[in-house]
Structure formats: C-alpha cells, structure tokens
Amino acid sequence: MTGIWGIVNVTPDSFSDGGRYFDVDRAVAHGLRLRAAGATVLDVGGESTRPGAERVGSAEEQARVLPVIEQLAAAGAPVSIDTINASTAAAAVRAGARIVNDVSGGLGDPEMRAAVAESGADFAIGHWRGFSADMYANAEYRRVAREVAGELQERMGEAAAAGIAPSRLILDPGIGFAKAGVQNWDVLRGLDEIVALGPRVLIGTSRKRFLAEVLAQADENVSEVRRDLATAVTSALAARAGVWAVRVHDVAATRDALAIAHAWDGV
C-alpha cells in the first residue's frame, strides 16, 4: 500500500495552514490526529517553503520543531523533519525523527549530506533549483520530467559519495518547486522516469497552486476542501504510477482515495 505522509507545519506563514498549529500542544495534537487518520509518517517543518517565503534561522526553526518531534516520537509515531538546515536535521534525529526531508536535496546547506550520513536517518531528496524567494526564475526546461530525473540522479550520486546507501534514499521531484503550472503536470505524467531511478518516490501535490489553477474560474478563490479533493485524486494517480508515498494535509481523504485506487487495481 502507498504510504501517506501527514504534514505538520509549525510555522506562522505556510501557504495553506500557516499559524494554525504554531504552538507545540496544537501541533502535537494535530499530528496525533493525522496519525489516527492513517498517516504512516508525520512530516514536521518549522520553515515555510512557499513561494516568496523568508528564511528562518536554524535556532528559531529548532525551537519550533524539536519539542513537537520529541512528543510525537515518544507517542510512537514515525517522524520526518522537513528542513534544509544540517544542524536542524541532526538535532531532529536526536529528538526522534527517522527521516530527513530536504526539499533542496542537499544543495541548500553544504553540511547536510554529511549530517544525514552520520545520523543514520533516511534521506528524502527534493528536486530544487533555488530558495523559495526566487525559485521561479529557474523554471526553464526543455523536457521537464527527463531533466528532473537527471538532476535527481546527480543528487543520488552526491548522497552516495557522502556515504548514504541507496536503500536510505527517497526521491521527490519537487512539485511546485521551480516549476510553473503546466510543468508540474508534465512531471506527474513522466513519473515513470523518476520511479525508474530505483529509490522510493515521494510525491507532494497537496493544496498547491497548480491544482487550484485547473479548478478556478476567473478570479475564483479555490477552497481548501476542493484543493484537498484534487490532492486526493492526484495522489491516487501517483500511486498507480508506482510512487512509494504521498505527502498531504488531509490524510483521511487521501486514505480513502488510495483505498479505492488499490481496490481498482486488485491490490
């Protein structure tokens, strides 16, 4: 069965739920609800990666996430730390995280690969072409799925050189990161090229702008409910394409969509 990563944003400015769980007790309670709804991993982040987001210092980031990770791990939940900072990754693993989810694939902090190698954690490598403030300036491709696969293969080589075994790697093609609307659809249609690289593949489409662009009429503001339904559909289609896990805000809706997709396929 395809895994479901539940998003726990301990931030004041994430694009969808910023500020909603910017409190340790609320964040922990939210994570436990996601776990009860069927999340196989809880992905805890303390720095927004939405387009145009400002950077957060590692000390502030750790103050946000470490108490949450400690409590969720103590409750038996598998936890991932969503960070591009090596020091935060190392501290999060010591606090109980089992996976380091780096949307920059190790490019955002030159110490990241060594930190992950030493920690023993699994390493989710995102496709990335720059920090959130200016990433769309680099959204130029000829064959986007093939180029994303090629750049992820480079990140795999760098991880191997740092001593991270392929069995510890997870690949994320970075939907929405340095990719305009139609380019995200091209990546999803080309998921076979990412899956063929070998490691587990993680997809995160949850509530992202490219989904709303399909659903919107004129200047309509597309609600979270509609974005979550669109997310569940793309997650089910990604599962049929062979991805290992999907990263979402609404675990329950995605769980149901995946169950129907797996039933359809006789899994």
Side-chain angles (χ1 to χ4, degrees):
M1 292 287 287
T2 308
I4 304 174
W5 288 29
I7 298 170
V8 183
N9 285 325
V10 194
T11 60
D13 59 344
S14 291
F15 79 94
S16 175
D17 56 1
R20 197 175 298 175
Y21 309 111
F22 191 49
D23 171 89
V24 171
D25 290 341
R26 289 183 181 179
V28 170
H30 178 58
L32 294 176
R33 285 193 298 270
L34 294 178
R35 179 73 170 148
T40 52
V41 173
L42 299 177
D43 193 39
V44 179
E47 178 179 6
S48 174
T49 54
R50 64 175 173 79
E54 296 295 325
R55 296 301 314 281
V56 173
S58 58
E60 172 63 21
E61 181 186 30
Q62 290 170 38
R64 295 175 181 181
V65 300
L66 294 182
V68 177
I69 291 170
E70 289 171 355
Q71 292 190 46
L72 290 174
V79 177
S80 167
I81 174 62
D82 179 1
T83 185
I84 63 175
N85 293 312
S87 63
T88 299
V93 174
R94 290 193 297 269
R98 303 181 191 178
I99 303 170
V100 175
N101 179 20
D102 180 356
V103 299
S104 81
L107 296 178
D109 184 335
E111 303 299 322
M112 178 63 87
R113 287 182 289 272
V116 174
E118 183 177 353
S119 75
D122 285 358
F123 190 28
I125 298 173
H127 176 264
W128 190 77
R129 285 187 172 182
F131 293 102
S132 296
D134 57 4
M135 63 181 171
Y136 289 123
N138 300 312
E140 295 186 7
Y141 305 86
R142 291 186 178 181
R143 298 187 64 180
V144 59
R146 178 160 297 180
E147 291 177 54
V148 168
E151 291 170 36
L152 285 173
Q153 194 163 31
E154 292 177 14
R155 304 290 83 76
M156 290 169 59
E158 294 160 356
I164 305 171
S167 61
R168 292 169 57 190
L169 297 181
I170 301 163
L171 303 181
D172 180 348
I175 299 298
F177 289 88
K179 298 169 189 70
V182 67
Q183 293 169 334
N184 294 300
W185 293 112
D186 288 341
V187 171
L188 291 172
R189 283 190 287 267
L191 275 177
D192 58 325
E193 299 198 48
I194 313 296
V195 172
L197 293 175
R200 297 162 289 175
V201 175
L202 172 69
I203 290 292
T205 63
S206 192
R207 297 179 181 172
K208 290 188 175 178
R209 182 185 303 172
F210 81 108
L211 299 178
E213 289 173 349
V214 172
L215 302 178
Q217 298 180 5
D219 293 326
E220 177 186 8
N221 184 28
V222 179
S223 67
E224 276 189 12
V225 172
R226 295 180 65 199
R227 289 182 187 233
D228 284 336
L229 176 58
T231 300
V233 172
T234 55
S235 296
L237 292 171
R240 299 191 75 185
V243 307
W244 168 73
V246 294
R247 179 182 181 275
V248 302
H249 295 85
D250 187 338
V251 169
T254 300
R255 177 202 62 206
D256 291 348
L258 291 176
I260 295 301
H262 290 312
W264 184 293
D265 292 332
V267 176

